[in-house]
Amino acid sequence: MRRLLSLHALLVYLFLYGPILVIVALSFNESRRGVRFSGFTLDWYRALFQDPRVLEYFLNTLTVALVSTLVSTVLGTLLALGMVRYRFWGKALLRYLLYVPVVVPDVVMGISLLLLFAFSRELFGFPRLSLLTVILGHITFQLAFVTLVVRSRLLLLDPALEEAARDLGARGFQTFLYVTLPLAWPGVAAGALLALTLSLDDFVVTFFTAGPGATTLPLYIYSSVKLGVSPKVHALSTLIVGLSAVFLALGYALSRRRV
Amino acid sequence: MNEAATPGQRILRVLVTVGPGGLWLFLFVLLPSLLVLLASFLSRGPYGELGLPLGLHNYARALQPVYLEAFAQSLLVGVWATLLSALLGYPLAFYIARHPKRDLLLFLLLLPFLTNFLIRVYAWLVLLQREGLVNAFLGAFGLGPFAFYPSFGAVLLATVYTFLPFFVLPVYASVERLDWQLLEAAYDLGARPFRAFLHAVLPQTYPGLFAGSVLVFIPAMGTFVVADLLGAGRVVLIGNLIQQQFGVTRDWAFGAALSVFLMGFVLLSLYLYARIQGERGLEELV
């Protein structure tokens, strides 16, 4: 029984890694088409780095990810704090709204934002679809995830610690800065990391909210793939896989250190 | 809770903490959802713009057989993807949870998952193409070459591939919390392994199974990218129809009505899930 379980696990891991490893191998393959390995080459990487558009798309992706992660982490942390600490009018509605971006399929999220921007442009003349609208869209789904992650961390904290800070004379903001925030920090960091990953991975929301000049790497991959399989995309994919491995390994190392 | 604060201070604190995020959710989640609902009652103008008259015509159109078929296809992808994920993911969750190096195994499970979604779909395009690895492998036995895509099977395969970790993680969480003493008790009472599993282990993993099913079913039903690339027009899901209305066809009103349909379906499945799982069900999904 145990051996059967091991075999099953082995096969599933093969299933998970096989396709990705094939892409990595093909990115070094001289042959343009097919899977026959005709020789090792770095030509596809060279072609990738010599394409100025790819650098532009990379910078767009990075700009969107960093700006949206920063904004969503700040707003989400504050929102989580307010929702855990205070009672206020409309809290129930807010709780439902937080779940919407989590459960709604991306297509629906994408078109609803597109409609919002279109209506707003009709009425107020802005915003034009651009990198800005992509960022607004990303913040929207990231905000929900950050808030939920930070909130679950805050719910674990002992309220006595904040009371002690106040008894010792700390004012609201001081308590937040010196007591609450450091204690909630792992949750905030986890939320930010999740937000960053979601932004880097997102294709659908970007697809609907991007205008001319706002092409990101996923959009570029999509349009190249629509034209057919290409070794340049293999090379780009390999780089992205490598980068995510590094990021995840860092996160993994950090999480182990804390224990 | 905060006795020292005056009512004014309290309002200020709520405004500072909840204000910006709450306003954001109002502007970018609630308002757009209402706009989709509004647009679904409007009509397509001569240039693809939204216009009057108001009516239920988009919904009537969505009930035509062509569109219902896309709904049925999506449902089929959702159900099949969930079943296959369960078949692959359920035993895997047990293996990981009971392995001495489970941290590493979880890490290895998450790694492909955090690799860009499009790349994971693209990988299957590469494998299943005419000169791809699968055909090369089969060719060694004198079989093929086959045209594996565009096809329903290819769409399903890539869907399972991309969403499988969504299934494993919640099941893993419930296996970790499992009370193994119940299994021993079942053995002590003379149960054979299968019966013991059925009565002592399986029920304890229901929360994870339900959560995993919802997490696979909803995105599998709602995606348009996988069917777009691996179905190449042959497999049309509801997500593809919505995307087409907002792209080439430019019939935003009809696209909005289809979205409302899809959302209704998602909410219905979440409602059923919440009924089975109770109040805490939704919270555990995240």
Side-chain angles (χ1 to χ4, degrees):
Chain A
M1 188 65 212
R2 180 153 298 174
R3 199 171 289 173
L4 212 62
L5 212 54
S6 305
L7 181 69
H8 175 87
L10 184 72
L11 289 177
V12 176
Y13 275 103
L14 269 178
F15 172 63
L16 287 176
Y17 280 88
I20 293 177
L21 292 179
V22 168
I23 297 275
V24 173
L26 287 180
S27 75
F28 298 109
N29 188 5
E30 222 170 32
S31 158
R32 172 169 270 282
R33 292 184 68 79
V35 288
R36 203 167 295 274
F37 205 84
S38 58
F40 181 89
T41 182
L42 288 175
D43 281 357
W44 311 121
Y45 290 90
R46 205 165 295 136
L48 193 69
F49 285 120
Q50 278 166 1
D51 188 342
R53 292 174 311 163
V54 172
L55 180 70
E56 182 201 323
Y57 304 154
F58 174 69
L59 290 178
N60 281 345
T61 311
L62 217 58
T63 309
V64 170
L66 293 179
V67 174
S68 62
T69 299
L70 187 72
V71 176
S72 65
T73 304
V74 172
L75 294 189
T77 303
L78 286 173
L79 184 57
L81 194 74
M83 291 191 72
V84 171
R85 293 284 178 274
Y86 309 112
R87 274 200 244 163
F88 52 89
W89 183 85
K91 190 169 167 177
L93 173 68
L94 216 52
R95 204 157 46 212
Y96 282 117
L97 287 183
L98 273 180
Y99 284 112
V100 173
V102 180
V103 299
V104 163
D106 322 4
V107 193
V108 178
M109 176 113 191
I111 62 118
S112 66
L113 286 164
L114 175 60
L115 270 171
L116 174 77
F117 296 141
F119 269 100
S120 163
R121 219 166 104 74
E122 195 67 33
L123 289 174
F124 310 109
F126 76 98
R128 193 179 290 277
L129 291 184
S130 60
L131 222 48
L132 174 72
T133 46
V134 174
I135 291 173
L136 293 175
H138 281 217
I139 294 171
T140 305
F141 60 74
Q142 289 170 315
L143 178 63
F145 282 94
V146 172
T147 309
L148 292 168
V149 170
V150 175
R151 194 188 65 164
S152 65
R153 171 81 193 182
L154 286 174
L155 287 172
L156 294 176
L157 294 186
D158 185 356
L161 292 168
E162 287 188 1
E163 277 166 36
R166 274 195 295 274
D167 288 345
L168 292 168
R171 290 195 293 162
F173 185 66
Q174 284 176 317
T175 312
F176 171 71
L177 200 63
Y178 295 113
V179 179
T180 318
L181 195 57
L183 288 170
W185 191 246
V188 176
L193 211 64
L194 180 65
L196 188 73
T197 317
L198 289 172
S199 171
L200 291 174
D201 196 41
D202 178 76
F203 164 71
V204 178
V205 171
T206 314
F207 179 78
F208 285 107
T209 53
T215 305
T216 61
L217 283 179
L219 289 188
Y220 168 68
I221 296 175
Y222 178 76
S223 57
S224 322
V225 169
K226 284 293 257 186
L227 297 174
V229 169
S230 113
K232 237 166 96 175
V233 174
H234 297 156
L236 180 59
S237 304
T238 303
L239 290 177
I240 294 177
V241 171
L243 267 181
S244 7
V246 171
F247 277 142
L248 190 62
L250 276 176
Y252 177 70
L254 282 176
S255 74
R256 283 187 71 105
R257 186 184 291 177
R258 214 177 293 123
V259 178
Chain B
M1 214 176 130
N2 192 347
E3 341 31 61
T6 64
Q9 278 174 320
R10 281 186 51 94
I11 291 172
L12 187 71
R13 279 175 197 172
V14 170
L15 277 180
V16 169
T17 53
V18 179
L23 187 67
W24 194 285
L25 290 173
F26 179 81
L27 281 180
F28 292 99
V29 176
L30 185 62
L31 198 59
S33 308
L34 296 176
L35 286 177
V36 173
L37 199 62
L38 171 68
S40 72
F41 296 113
L42 290 171
S43 310
R44 181 190 192 276
Y47 305 105
E49 75 277 15
L50 287 166
L52 294 172
L54 279 167
L56 287 169
H57 47 277
N58 295 311
Y59 290 98
R61 191 176 152 202
L63 289 173
Q64 284 174 10
V66 207
Y67 303 114
L68 286 180
E69 200 176 311
F71 246 110
Q73 284 270 25
S74 307
L75 201 62
L76 217 55
V77 169
V79 170
W80 269 111
T82 308
L83 286 176
L84 289 174
S85 300
L87 208 64
L88 293 177
Y90 191 75
L92 184 69
F94 274 85
Y95 179 77
I96 297 178
R98 310 213 71 191
H99 199 279
K101 291 204 165 163
R102 55 183 157 186
D103 280 3
L104 185 68
L105 287 178
L106 272 182
F107 171 79
L108 288 176
L109 179 76
L110 282 175
L111 182 55
F113 184 50
L114 290 184
T115 302
N116 194 283
F117 172 72
L118 269 174
I119 295 177
R120 282 177 288 153
V121 180
Y122 172 67
W124 282 102
L125 204 77
V126 173
L127 282 174
L128 294 177
Q129 63 176 317
R130 207 168 178 80
E131 304 92 1
L133 199 70
V134 179
N135 266 325
F137 177 76
L138 292 174
F141 298 99
L143 296 168
F146 298 100
F148 286 112
Y149 85 90
S151 73
F152 183 82
V155 171
L156 188 60
L157 189 64
T159 304
V160 172
Y161 181 71
T162 47
F163 297 127
L164 181 60
F166 276 140
F167 196 95
V168 181
L169 291 175
V171 177
Y172 168 82
S174 47
V175 174
E176 259 221 309
R177 276 177 285 180
L178 210 74
D179 182 0
W180 291 98
Q181 284 185 332
L182 286 177
L183 187 69
E184 279 167 36
Y187 282 136
D188 288 346
L189 293 169
R192 287 161 179 276
F194 182 69
R195 261 186 84 92
F197 169 79
L198 209 63
H199 293 286
V201 176
L202 186 65
Q204 294 192 69
T205 58
Y206 281 159
L209 270 173
F210 284 128
S213 302
V214 169
L215 287 176
V216 171
F217 179 74
I218 290 177
M221 248 198 85
T223 175
F224 77 86
V225 183
V226 183
D228 192 28
L229 294 179
L230 286 162
R234 193 85 60 86
V235 183
V236 178
L237 306 183
I238 188 72
N240 301 85
L241 282 181
I242 295 173
Q243 186 238 326
Q244 281 163 20
Q245 305 310 315
F246 282 85
V248 248
T249 324
R250 275 196 79 85
D251 191 345
W252 289 21
F254 183 51
L258 290 173
S259 304
V260 174
F261 259 7
L262 176 59
M263 267 319 291
F265 212 88
V266 166
L267 291 178
L268 185 71
S269 22
L270 284 173
Y271 171 74
L272 290 177
Y273 170 77
R275 277 293 292 272
I276 298 169
Q277 282 297 295
E279 285 280 322
R280 290 195 45 76
L282 267 180
E283 312 247 333
E284 289 211 356
L285 272 185
V286 190

Coordinates of all heavy atoms in Angstrom, one line a residue, chain B residues 62-100:
Chain B
A62 N -29.0 34.2 -24.7 CA -28.1 33.3 -24.0 C -28.7 31.9 -23.8 O -27.9 31.0 -23.6 CB -27.6 33.9 -22.7
L63 N -30.0 31.9 -23.9 CA -30.6 30.6 -23.7 C -30.7 29.7 -25.0 O -31.2 28.6 -25.0 CB -32.0 30.8 -23.1 CG -32.1 31.2 -21.7 CD1 -33.5 31.5 -21.2 CD2 -31.4 30.1 -20.8
Q64 N -30.2 30.3 -26.1 CA -30.2 29.6 -27.4 C -29.3 28.4 -27.3 O -28.3 28.4 -26.6 CB -29.8 30.5 -28.5 CG -30.9 31.4 -29.0 CD -30.3 32.4 -30.0 OE1 -29.2 32.2 -30.5 NE2 -31.1 33.4 -30.3
P65 N -29.6 27.3 -28.0 CA -28.8 26.0 -27.9 C -27.3 26.2 -28.1 O -26.6 25.6 -27.3 CB -29.4 25.2 -29.1 CG -30.8 25.7 -29.3 CD -30.8 27.2 -28.9
V66 N -26.9 27.1 -29.0 CA -25.4 27.3 -29.2 C -24.8 27.7 -27.9 O -23.7 27.2 -27.6 CB -25.2 28.4 -30.2 CG1 -23.8 28.2 -30.9 CG2 -26.3 28.7 -31.2
Y67 N -25.4 28.6 -27.2 CA -24.8 29.1 -26.0 C -24.9 28.2 -24.8 O -24.0 28.0 -24.0 CB -25.3 30.5 -25.7 CG -25.1 31.5 -26.9 CD1 -26.2 32.0 -27.5 CD2 -23.9 31.8 -27.3 CE1 -26.1 32.8 -28.6 CE2 -23.7 32.6 -28.4 CZ -24.8 33.1 -29.0 OH -24.6 34.0 -30.1
L68 N -26.1 27.5 -24.8 CA -26.3 26.5 -23.7 C -25.2 25.4 -23.9 O -24.8 24.8 -22.9 CB -27.7 25.9 -23.8 CG -28.8 26.9 -23.3 CD1 -30.1 26.2 -23.4 CD2 -28.5 27.3 -21.9
E69 N -24.9 25.1 -25.1 CA -23.9 24.1 -25.4 C -22.5 24.4 -24.8 O -21.8 23.6 -24.2 CB -23.7 23.8 -26.9 CG -23.1 22.5 -27.2 CD -23.1 22.3 -28.7 OE1 -24.2 22.5 -29.3 OE2 -22.0 21.9 -29.2
A70 N -22.1 25.7 -24.9 CA -20.9 26.2 -24.3 C -21.0 26.1 -22.8 O -20.0 25.7 -22.2 CB -20.6 27.7 -24.7
F71 N -22.1 26.4 -22.3 CA -22.3 26.2 -20.8 C -22.1 24.8 -20.4 O -21.4 24.4 -19.4 CB -23.7 26.7 -20.4 CG -23.7 27.9 -19.5 CD1 -24.1 29.1 -20.0 CD2 -23.2 27.8 -18.3 CE1 -24.1 30.2 -19.3 CE2 -23.1 28.9 -17.5 CZ -23.6 30.1 -18.0
A72 N -22.7 23.9 -21.2 CA -22.6 22.4 -20.9 C -21.1 22.0 -21.0 O -20.7 21.3 -20.1 CB -23.5 21.6 -21.9
Q73 N -20.4 22.5 -22.0 CA -19.0 22.1 -22.1 C -18.2 22.6 -20.9 O -17.4 21.9 -20.4 CB -18.4 22.8 -23.4 CG -18.8 22.2 -24.7 CD -17.8 21.2 -25.1 OE1 -17.1 20.6 -24.3 NE2 -17.7 20.9 -26.4
S74 N -18.5 23.8 -20.5 CA -17.8 24.4 -19.3 C -18.0 23.5 -18.1 O -17.1 23.3 -17.3 CB -18.2 25.8 -19.0 OG -18.1 26.6 -20.2
L75 N -19.3 23.2 -17.9 CA -19.7 22.4 -16.8 C -18.9 21.0 -16.8 O -18.4 20.6 -15.8 CB -21.2 22.1 -16.9 CG -21.9 21.7 -15.6 CD1 -21.7 22.8 -14.6 CD2 -23.4 21.4 -15.9
L76 N -18.8 20.5 -18.0 CA -18.2 19.2 -18.2 C -16.7 19.3 -17.9 O -16.1 18.5 -17.2 CB -18.3 18.8 -19.7 CG -18.5 17.3 -20.0 CD1 -19.7 16.8 -19.2 CD2 -18.7 17.1 -21.5
V77 N -16.0 20.4 -18.4 CA -14.6 20.6 -18.0 C -14.5 20.8 -16.5 O -13.6 20.2 -15.9 CB -14.1 21.9 -18.7 CG1 -12.7 22.3 -18.2 CG2 -14.0 21.7 -20.2
G78 N -15.4 21.5 -15.9 CA -15.3 21.7 -14.5 C -15.4 20.4 -13.7 O -14.6 20.1 -12.8
V79 N -16.4 19.6 -14.0 CA -16.7 18.4 -13.3 C -15.5 17.4 -13.5 O -15.0 16.8 -12.6 CB -18.0 17.8 -13.7 CG1 -18.2 16.4 -13.2 CG2 -19.2 18.6 -13.3
W80 N -15.1 17.2 -14.8 CA -14.0 16.3 -15.1 C -12.7 16.7 -14.5 O -12.0 15.9 -13.9 CB -13.8 16.2 -16.6 CG -14.7 15.1 -17.2 CD1 -15.7 15.2 -18.1 CD2 -14.5 13.7 -17.0 NE1 -16.2 14.0 -18.4 CE2 -15.5 13.0 -17.8 CE3 -13.6 12.9 -16.3 CZ2 -15.6 11.6 -17.9 CZ3 -13.7 11.5 -16.3 CH2 -14.7 10.9 -17.1
A81 N -12.4 18.0 -14.5 CA -11.2 18.5 -13.9 C -11.2 18.2 -12.4 O -10.2 17.8 -11.9 CB -11.0 20.0 -14.2
T82 N -12.3 18.4 -11.8 CA -12.4 18.2 -10.4 C -12.2 16.7 -10.0 O -11.4 16.4 -9.1 CB -13.8 18.6 -9.8 OG1 -14.0 20.0 -10.3 CG2 -13.8 18.6 -8.3
L83 N -12.9 15.8 -10.8 CA -12.7 14.4 -10.6 C -11.3 13.9 -10.8 O -10.7 13.2 -9.9 CB -13.7 13.6 -11.5 CG -15.1 13.7 -11.2 CD1 -16.0 12.9 -12.2 CD2 -15.4 13.1 -9.8
L84 N -10.7 14.4 -11.9 CA -9.3 13.9 -12.1 C -8.3 14.5 -11.1 O -7.4 13.8 -10.7 CB -8.9 14.4 -13.6 CG -9.6 13.6 -14.7 CD1 -9.2 14.2 -16.0 CD2 -9.2 12.1 -14.6
S85 N -8.6 15.7 -10.7 CA -7.7 16.3 -9.7 C -7.8 15.5 -8.4 O -6.8 15.3 -7.7 CB -8.1 17.8 -9.4 OG -8.0 18.6 -10.5
A86 N -9.0 15.1 -8.1 CA -9.2 14.3 -6.9 C -8.5 13.0 -7.0 O -7.8 12.6 -6.0 CB -10.7 14.0 -6.6
L87 N -8.5 12.4 -8.1 CA -7.9 11.1 -8.4 C -6.4 11.2 -8.2 O -5.7 10.4 -7.6 CB -8.2 10.6 -9.8 CG -8.2 9.1 -10.0 CD1 -9.3 8.4 -9.2 CD2 -8.4 8.8 -11.5
L88 N -5.8 12.3 -8.7 CA -4.4 12.5 -8.7 C -4.0 13.1 -7.3 O -2.9 12.8 -6.7 CB -3.9 13.4 -9.8 CG -4.0 12.9 -11.2 CD1 -3.6 14.0 -12.2 CD2 -3.1 11.7 -11.4
G89 N -4.8 14.0 -6.8 CA -4.4 14.9 -5.7 C -4.6 14.3 -4.3 O -3.9 14.5 -3.4
Y90 N -5.7 13.5 -4.2 CA -6.1 13.0 -2.9 C -5.0 12.0 -2.3 O -4.5 12.3 -1.2 CB -7.4 12.3 -3.0 CG -8.0 11.9 -1.6 CD1 -8.6 12.9 -0.8 CD2 -8.0 10.6 -1.1 CE1 -9.1 12.6 0.4 CE2 -8.5 10.3 0.1 CZ -9.1 11.3 0.9 OH -9.6 11.0 2.1
P91 N -4.6 11.0 -3.1 CA -3.5 10.2 -2.5 C -2.2 10.9 -2.3 O -1.5 10.7 -1.4 CB -3.3 9.1 -3.6 CG -4.5 9.2 -4.5 CD -5.0 10.5 -4.4
L92 N -1.9 11.9 -3.2 CA -0.7 12.7 -3.1 C -0.6 13.5 -1.8 O 0.4 13.5 -1.1 CB -0.5 13.6 -4.3 CG 0.8 14.4 -4.3 CD1 1.9 13.5 -4.6 CD2 0.7 15.5 -5.3
A93 N -1.8 14.0 -1.4 CA -1.9 14.8 -0.2 C -1.5 13.9 1.0 O -0.8 14.3 1.9 CB -3.3 15.4 0.0
F94 N -1.9 12.6 1.0 CA -1.6 11.7 2.1 C -0.1 11.4 2.1 O 0.6 11.4 3.1 CB -2.4 10.4 1.9 CG -3.7 10.5 2.6 CD1 -4.8 11.0 1.9 CD2 -3.9 10.0 3.9 CE1 -6.0 11.1 2.5 CE2 -5.1 10.1 4.5 CZ -6.2 10.6 3.8
Y95 N 0.4 11.2 0.9 CA 1.9 10.9 0.8 C 2.7 12.0 1.3 O 3.6 11.8 2.1 CB 2.2 10.6 -0.7 CG 3.7 10.3 -0.9 CD1 4.2 9.0 -0.6 CD2 4.5 11.2 -1.4 CE1 5.5 8.7 -0.8 CE2 5.9 11.0 -1.6 CZ 6.4 9.7 -1.3 OH 7.7 9.4 -1.4
I96 N 2.4 13.2 0.9 CA 3.1 14.4 1.4 C 3.0 14.5 2.9 O 4.0 14.7 3.6 CB 2.7 15.7 0.7 CG1 2.9 15.6 -0.8 CG2 3.4 16.9 1.3 CD1 2.5 16.8 -1.6
A97 N 1.8 14.5 3.4 CA 1.6 14.7 4.9 C 2.3 13.7 5.7 O 2.7 14.0 6.9 CB 0.1 14.7 5.1
R98 N 2.5 12.5 5.2 CA 3.1 11.4 6.1 C 4.6 11.3 5.8 O 5.3 10.4 6.3 CB 2.4 10.1 5.9 CG 0.9 10.2 6.0 CD 0.3 9.0 6.6 NE 0.6 8.9 8.0 CZ 0.4 7.8 8.7 NH1 -0.1 6.7 8.2 NH2 0.8 7.8 10.0
H99 N 5.1 12.1 4.9 CA 6.5 12.0 4.5 C 7.4 12.8 5.4 O 7.1 13.9 5.8 CB 6.7 12.5 3.0 CG 8.0 12.0 2.4 ND1 9.2 12.6 2.6 CD2 8.2 11.0 1.5 CE1 10.1 12.0 1.9 NE2 9.5 11.0 1.2
P100 N 8.6 12.3 5.8 CA 9.5 13.0 6.7 C 9.9 14.3 6.1 O 10.2 15.3 6.9 CB 10.7 12.1 7.0 CG 10.5 10.9 6.0 CD 9.1 10.9 5.6

